[in-house]
């Protein structure tokens, strides 16, 4: 039987050291078979401001979850248009874990996300609109309540509205009362909407937030 | 009394589902994500899980896959999601769900499927 040498930590480190640690060398290592080498390359690429497009491209094909998380962390540090665009693309992914990681990263970038949030709230995909409302949860922007009121006034999808009402029950003020009451009339035969609107109205009237 | 774990990151959804189940005589517990749910599942007995898909830290698929891989008494799971267009339903069943429902779930619907999965009939 042939003896197959297992790849050890030492040999991985040797691989890492053998590659040039400049920008081009690190980009090449993004295609390395070993996930740990790819993670190291991403860590080092995060110090290069021009790496965001390279990492955004890698994110589309990377199938290792820990390497993907490293890319998302790096993109969060860049916080440029390319990074935000790559993160928004993740909202359309079929993979729940990638979507959720992207939402968490986008929540941490209020200044970059605020200019595009209205587009996301009007996206043709209702799932993206729901994720956009999820992002609003911790956006800490002065227009959050206004955006949420607009959603429940105009969006026809029940789950987009329901998600917005959940958030309004935390951040809503008297300004949201009319819109909430109108929504309850619009979805009068939907028990969940009635339940969550009543809860939101109760909390707003009690000043419970 | 049958014990049901409701797993959802949205507090309002957890409250809604728990209220429905409690009003029908079930005992409920809650978890805000898959990690907390897994910890509870490994230390407490549950007769049914109601699992959201999109949750931070550990989503519903990961939770169910982890749960099904454990050598513990297994209970049925209803997976609920806001999404209906993607391949979530197939993924839910592949992860180990017994039923996939699209939110918002109506009270009668939730109770009917709960009774069926608990072997209580309708």
């Amino acid at each position: 039987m042939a003896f197959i040498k297992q790849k050890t930590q030492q040999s991985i480190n040797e691989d890492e050291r053998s590659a040039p640690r400049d920008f081009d060398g690190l980009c090449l290592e993004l295609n390395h078979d070993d996930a740990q080498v790819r993670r190291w390359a991403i860590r080092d690429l995060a110090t290069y401001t021009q790496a965001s497009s390279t990492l955004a491209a890698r994110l589309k094909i990377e199938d290792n979850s820990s390497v993907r998380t490293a890319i998302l962390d790096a993109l969060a540090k860049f916080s440029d248009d390319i990074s935000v665009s790559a993160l928004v693309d993740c909202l359309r992914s079929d993979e729940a874990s990638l979507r959720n990681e992207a939402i968490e990263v986008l929540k941490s970038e209020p200044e970059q996300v605020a200019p595009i949030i209205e587009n996301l709230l009007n996206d043709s995909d209702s799932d993206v609109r729901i994720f956009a409302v999820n992002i609003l949860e911790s956006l800490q922007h002065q227009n959050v309540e206004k955006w949420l009121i607009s959603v429940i006034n105009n969006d026809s999808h029940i789950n987009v509205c329901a998600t917005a009402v959940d958030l309004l029950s935390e951040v809503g003020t008297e300004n949201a009362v009319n819109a909430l009451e109108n929504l309850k009339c619009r979805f009068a035969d939907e028990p969940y909407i009635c339940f969550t609107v009543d809860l939101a109205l109760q909390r707003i009237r009690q000043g419970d937030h | 009394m049958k014990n049901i774990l409701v797993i959802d990151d949205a507090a309002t959804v957890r409250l809604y589902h728990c209220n429905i189940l409690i009003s029908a005589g079930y005992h409920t517990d809650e978890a805000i994500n898959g990690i907390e749910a897994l910890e509870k599942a490994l230390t407490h007995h549950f007769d049914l899980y109601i699992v959201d898909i999109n949750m931070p830290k550990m989503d519903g698929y990961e939770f169910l896959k982890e749960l099904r891989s454990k050598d513990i008494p297994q209970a049925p799971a209803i997976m609920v999601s806001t999404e209906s267009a993607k391949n979530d339903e197939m993924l839910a069943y592949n992860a180990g769900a017994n039923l996939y429902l699209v939110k918002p779930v109506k009270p009668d619907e939730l109770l009917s499927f709960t009774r069926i999965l608990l072997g209580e009939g309708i």
Side-chain angles (χ1 to χ4, degrees), chain A residues 123-153:
Chain A
D123 196 278
S124 59
D125 184 340
S126 61
D127 292 337
V128 171
R129 301 203 299 279
I130 289 170
F131 300 144
V133 175
N134 289 149
I135 291 165
L136 285 180
E137 181 184 349
S138 50
L139 205 57
Q140 308 253 333
H141 192 281
Q142 60 181 359
N143 287 341
V144 166
E145 185 184 25
K146 188 186 91 176
W147 286 325
L148 291 171
I149 290 171
S150 176
V151 167
I152 64 171
N153 275 335

Short mmCIF file of all heavy atoms in Angstrom, two decimals, chain A residues 123-153:
data_model
loop_
_atom_site.label_atom_id
_atom_site.label_comp_id
_atom_site.label_asym_id
_atom_site.label_seq_id
_atom_site.Cartn_x
_atom_site.Cartn_y
_atom_site.Cartn_z
N ASP A 123 -36.81 46.73 -3.82
CA ASP A 123 -36.33 45.67 -4.70
C ASP A 123 -37.51 44.81 -5.19
O ASP A 123 -38.52 44.66 -4.50
CB ASP A 123 -35.33 44.79 -3.93
CG ASP A 123 -34.49 43.91 -4.84
OD1 ASP A 123 -34.99 42.83 -5.25
OD2 ASP A 123 -33.37 44.32 -5.16
N SER A 124 -37.37 44.25 -6.38
CA SER A 124 -38.46 43.43 -6.92
C SER A 124 -38.61 42.10 -6.16
O SER A 124 -39.68 41.48 -6.18
CB SER A 124 -38.21 43.14 -8.40
OG SER A 124 -36.98 42.47 -8.55
N ASP A 125 -37.55 41.66 -5.47
CA ASP A 125 -37.57 40.40 -4.72
C ASP A 125 -38.04 40.68 -3.29
O ASP A 125 -37.38 41.40 -2.54
CB ASP A 125 -36.15 39.81 -4.73
CG ASP A 125 -36.07 38.45 -4.06
OD1 ASP A 125 -36.98 38.11 -3.27
OD2 ASP A 125 -35.11 37.71 -4.33
N SER A 126 -39.16 40.09 -2.91
CA SER A 126 -39.71 40.35 -1.56
C SER A 126 -38.75 39.89 -0.47
O SER A 126 -38.70 40.49 0.61
CB SER A 126 -41.06 39.66 -1.39
OG SER A 126 -40.93 38.26 -1.54
N ASP A 127 -37.98 38.84 -0.73
CA ASP A 127 -37.02 38.39 0.28
C ASP A 127 -35.96 39.46 0.54
O ASP A 127 -35.57 39.69 1.69
CB ASP A 127 -36.34 37.09 -0.17
CG ASP A 127 -37.32 35.94 -0.18
OD1 ASP A 127 -38.33 36.02 0.53
OD2 ASP A 127 -37.07 34.96 -0.91
N VAL A 128 -35.49 40.10 -0.52
CA VAL A 128 -34.49 41.16 -0.36
C VAL A 128 -35.11 42.31 0.43
O VAL A 128 -34.45 42.91 1.29
CB VAL A 128 -33.97 41.64 -1.73
CG1 VAL A 128 -33.09 42.89 -1.57
CG2 VAL A 128 -33.16 40.52 -2.41
N ARG A 129 -36.38 42.61 0.18
CA ARG A 129 -37.05 43.69 0.93
C ARG A 129 -37.14 43.33 2.42
O ARG A 129 -36.95 44.18 3.29
CB ARG A 129 -38.44 43.98 0.35
CG ARG A 129 -38.40 44.39 -1.12
CD ARG A 129 -39.63 45.19 -1.55
NE ARG A 129 -40.89 44.50 -1.42
CZ ARG A 129 -41.39 43.62 -2.30
NH1 ARG A 129 -40.71 43.33 -3.39
NH2 ARG A 129 -42.57 43.06 -2.11
N ILE A 130 -37.41 42.06 2.70
CA ILE A 130 -37.46 41.62 4.11
C ILE A 130 -36.08 41.77 4.74
O ILE A 130 -35.94 42.29 5.86
CB ILE A 130 -37.94 40.15 4.21
CG1 ILE A 130 -39.42 40.06 3.87
CG2 ILE A 130 -37.67 39.59 5.61
CD1 ILE A 130 -39.93 38.65 3.70
N PHE A 131 -35.04 41.36 4.01
CA PHE A 131 -33.69 41.48 4.57
C PHE A 131 -33.32 42.95 4.77
O PHE A 131 -32.62 43.30 5.72
CB PHE A 131 -32.67 40.79 3.66
CG PHE A 131 -32.93 39.32 3.47
CD1 PHE A 131 -32.69 38.70 2.25
CD2 PHE A 131 -33.43 38.56 4.50
CE1 PHE A 131 -32.94 37.35 2.07
CE2 PHE A 131 -33.69 37.21 4.34
CZ PHE A 131 -33.44 36.59 3.12
N ALA A 132 -33.80 43.81 3.87
CA ALA A 132 -33.52 45.25 4.01
C ALA A 132 -34.14 45.77 5.31
O ALA A 132 -33.53 46.57 6.03
CB ALA A 132 -34.06 46.01 2.81
N VAL A 133 -35.36 45.33 5.60
CA VAL A 133 -35.99 45.73 6.87
C VAL A 133 -35.18 45.18 8.05
O VAL A 133 -34.96 45.87 9.05
CB VAL A 133 -37.45 45.25 6.94
CG1 VAL A 133 -38.05 45.56 8.31
CG2 VAL A 133 -38.28 45.91 5.85
N ASN A 134 -34.70 43.94 7.92
CA ASN A 134 -33.85 43.36 8.98
C ASN A 134 -32.61 44.23 9.22
O ASN A 134 -32.18 44.41 10.36
CB ASN A 134 -33.38 41.94 8.62
CG ASN A 134 -34.50 40.92 8.66
OD1 ASN A 134 -34.49 39.94 7.92
ND2 ASN A 134 -35.46 41.13 9.53
N ILE A 135 -32.06 44.74 8.13
CA ILE A 135 -30.85 45.58 8.25
C ILE A 135 -31.17 46.88 8.99
O ILE A 135 -30.38 47.38 9.78
CB ILE A 135 -30.25 45.86 6.85
CG1 ILE A 135 -29.67 44.56 6.27
CG2 ILE A 135 -29.16 46.94 6.92
CD1 ILE A 135 -29.38 44.63 4.79
N LEU A 136 -32.37 47.41 8.75
CA LEU A 136 -32.78 48.66 9.41
C LEU A 136 -32.77 48.54 10.93
O LEU A 136 -32.62 49.53 11.64
CB LEU A 136 -34.19 49.06 8.98
CG LEU A 136 -34.38 49.66 7.58
CD1 LEU A 136 -35.85 49.98 7.36
CD2 LEU A 136 -33.54 50.91 7.41
N GLU A 137 -32.92 47.29 11.39
CA GLU A 137 -33.03 47.04 12.83
C GLU A 137 -31.92 47.74 13.63
O GLU A 137 -32.16 48.26 14.72
CB GLU A 137 -32.99 45.53 13.09
CG GLU A 137 -33.13 45.15 14.53
CD GLU A 137 -32.97 43.65 14.73
OE1 GLU A 137 -32.97 42.91 13.74
OE2 GLU A 137 -32.84 43.25 15.89
N SER A 138 -30.72 47.72 13.09
CA SER A 138 -29.63 48.34 13.86
C SER A 138 -28.90 49.40 13.05
O SER A 138 -27.73 49.66 13.26
CB SER A 138 -28.66 47.27 14.35
OG SER A 138 -28.27 46.46 13.29
N LEU A 139 -29.62 50.02 12.12
CA LEU A 139 -28.96 51.00 11.25
C LEU A 139 -28.73 52.33 11.97
O LEU A 139 -27.85 53.09 11.59
CB LEU A 139 -29.79 51.22 9.98
CG LEU A 139 -29.01 51.70 8.77
CD1 LEU A 139 -27.89 50.75 8.43
CD2 LEU A 139 -29.92 51.87 7.57
N GLN A 140 -29.49 52.61 13.03
CA GLN A 140 -29.30 53.84 13.80
C GLN A 140 -29.30 55.08 12.89
O GLN A 140 -28.38 55.89 12.96
CB GLN A 140 -27.97 53.77 14.57
CG GLN A 140 -27.83 52.53 15.37
CD GLN A 140 -27.96 52.77 16.87
OE1 GLN A 140 -27.68 53.83 17.35
NE2 GLN A 140 -28.42 51.77 17.58
N HIS A 141 -30.29 55.16 12.01
CA HIS A 141 -30.38 56.29 11.09
C HIS A 141 -31.67 57.04 11.40
O HIS A 141 -32.68 56.44 11.76
CB HIS A 141 -30.39 55.76 9.64
CG HIS A 141 -30.20 56.81 8.60
ND1 HIS A 141 -31.22 57.63 8.20
CD2 HIS A 141 -29.13 57.18 7.88
CE1 HIS A 141 -30.78 58.45 7.27
NE2 HIS A 141 -29.51 58.21 7.06
N GLN A 142 -31.64 58.37 11.22
CA GLN A 142 -32.80 59.19 11.59
C GLN A 142 -34.05 58.87 10.77
O GLN A 142 -35.17 59.19 11.17
CB GLN A 142 -32.46 60.67 11.44
CG GLN A 142 -32.07 61.05 10.01
CD GLN A 142 -31.70 62.53 9.90
OE1 GLN A 142 -31.76 63.25 10.88
NE2 GLN A 142 -31.33 62.95 8.71
N ASN A 143 -33.88 58.27 9.59
CA ASN A 143 -35.02 57.99 8.72
C ASN A 143 -35.63 56.59 8.90
O ASN A 143 -36.53 56.23 8.15
CB ASN A 143 -34.63 58.15 7.26
CG ASN A 143 -34.44 59.60 6.87
OD1 ASN A 143 -34.94 60.49 7.57
ND2 ASN A 143 -33.71 59.85 5.81
N VAL A 144 -35.14 55.85 9.87
CA VAL A 144 -35.59 54.45 9.99
C VAL A 144 -37.12 54.37 10.14
O VAL A 144 -37.79 53.60 9.43
CB VAL A 144 -34.88 53.75 11.18
CG1 VAL A 144 -35.59 52.44 11.54
CG2 VAL A 144 -33.43 53.45 10.82
N GLU A 145 -37.68 55.17 11.03
CA GLU A 145 -39.14 55.10 11.23
C GLU A 145 -39.87 55.52 9.94
O GLU A 145 -40.85 54.88 9.55
CB GLU A 145 -39.57 55.98 12.39
CG GLU A 145 -41.07 55.81 12.67
CD GLU A 145 -41.60 56.73 13.76
OE1 GLU A 145 -41.01 57.79 13.99
OE2 GLU A 145 -42.62 56.37 14.38
N LYS A 146 -39.38 56.56 9.28
CA LYS A 146 -40.01 57.01 8.04
C LYS A 146 -39.99 55.90 6.98
O LYS A 146 -41.00 55.65 6.30
CB LYS A 146 -39.26 58.25 7.50
CG LYS A 146 -39.92 58.94 6.33
CD LYS A 146 -39.06 60.05 5.77
CE LYS A 146 -38.17 59.51 4.67
NZ LYS A 146 -37.36 60.51 3.99
N TRP A 147 -38.87 55.21 6.86
CA TRP A 147 -38.77 54.12 5.89
C TRP A 147 -39.74 52.98 6.23
O TRP A 147 -40.39 52.41 5.36
CB TRP A 147 -37.34 53.57 5.85
CG TRP A 147 -36.35 54.47 5.14
CD1 TRP A 147 -36.59 55.25 4.05
CD2 TRP A 147 -34.97 54.68 5.47
NE1 TRP A 147 -35.45 55.92 3.69
CE2 TRP A 147 -34.44 55.59 4.54
CE3 TRP A 147 -34.12 54.17 6.46
CZ2 TRP A 147 -33.11 56.00 4.55
CZ3 TRP A 147 -32.79 54.58 6.48
CH2 TRP A 147 -32.30 55.49 5.55
N LEU A 148 -39.83 52.68 7.53
CA LEU A 148 -40.72 51.59 7.95
C LEU A 148 -42.18 51.94 7.69
O LEU A 148 -42.97 51.09 7.26
CB LEU A 148 -40.50 51.27 9.44
CG LEU A 148 -39.14 50.63 9.79
CD1 LEU A 148 -38.96 50.57 11.30
CD2 LEU A 148 -39.03 49.25 9.17
N ILE A 149 -42.54 53.20 7.96
CA ILE A 149 -43.92 53.64 7.71
C ILE A 149 -44.22 53.53 6.22
O ILE A 149 -45.30 53.08 5.79
CB ILE A 149 -44.13 55.07 8.24
CG1 ILE A 149 -44.12 55.06 9.77
CG2 ILE A 149 -45.46 55.65 7.72
CD1 ILE A 149 -44.10 56.45 10.40
N SER A 150 -43.25 53.92 5.40
CA SER A 150 -43.44 53.82 3.95
C SER A 150 -43.65 52.36 3.53
O SER A 150 -44.49 52.07 2.67
CB SER A 150 -42.21 54.41 3.24
OG SER A 150 -42.33 54.26 1.85
N VAL A 151 -42.90 51.47 4.14
CA VAL A 151 -43.05 50.04 3.81
C VAL A 151 -44.46 49.56 4.12
O VAL A 151 -45.13 48.94 3.28
CB VAL A 151 -42.02 49.18 4.60
CG1 VAL A 151 -42.37 47.70 4.51
CG2 VAL A 151 -40.61 49.41 4.06
N ILE A 152 -44.96 49.85 5.32
CA ILE A 152 -46.28 49.31 5.68
C ILE A 152 -47.41 50.05 4.95
O ILE A 152 -48.50 49.51 4.80
CB ILE A 152 -46.54 49.27 7.21
CG1 ILE A 152 -46.57 50.66 7.81
CG2 ILE A 152 -45.51 48.41 7.90
CD1 ILE A 152 -47.03 50.65 9.27
N ASN A 153 -47.12 51.25 4.46
CA ASN A 153 -48.13 51.95 3.66
C ASN A 153 -48.20 51.42 2.22
O ASN A 153 -49.27 51.41 1.61
CB ASN A 153 -47.82 53.45 3.60
CG ASN A 153 -48.37 54.19 4.81
OD1 ASN A 153 -49.34 53.75 5.43
ND2 ASN A 153 -47.76 55.31 5.14
#
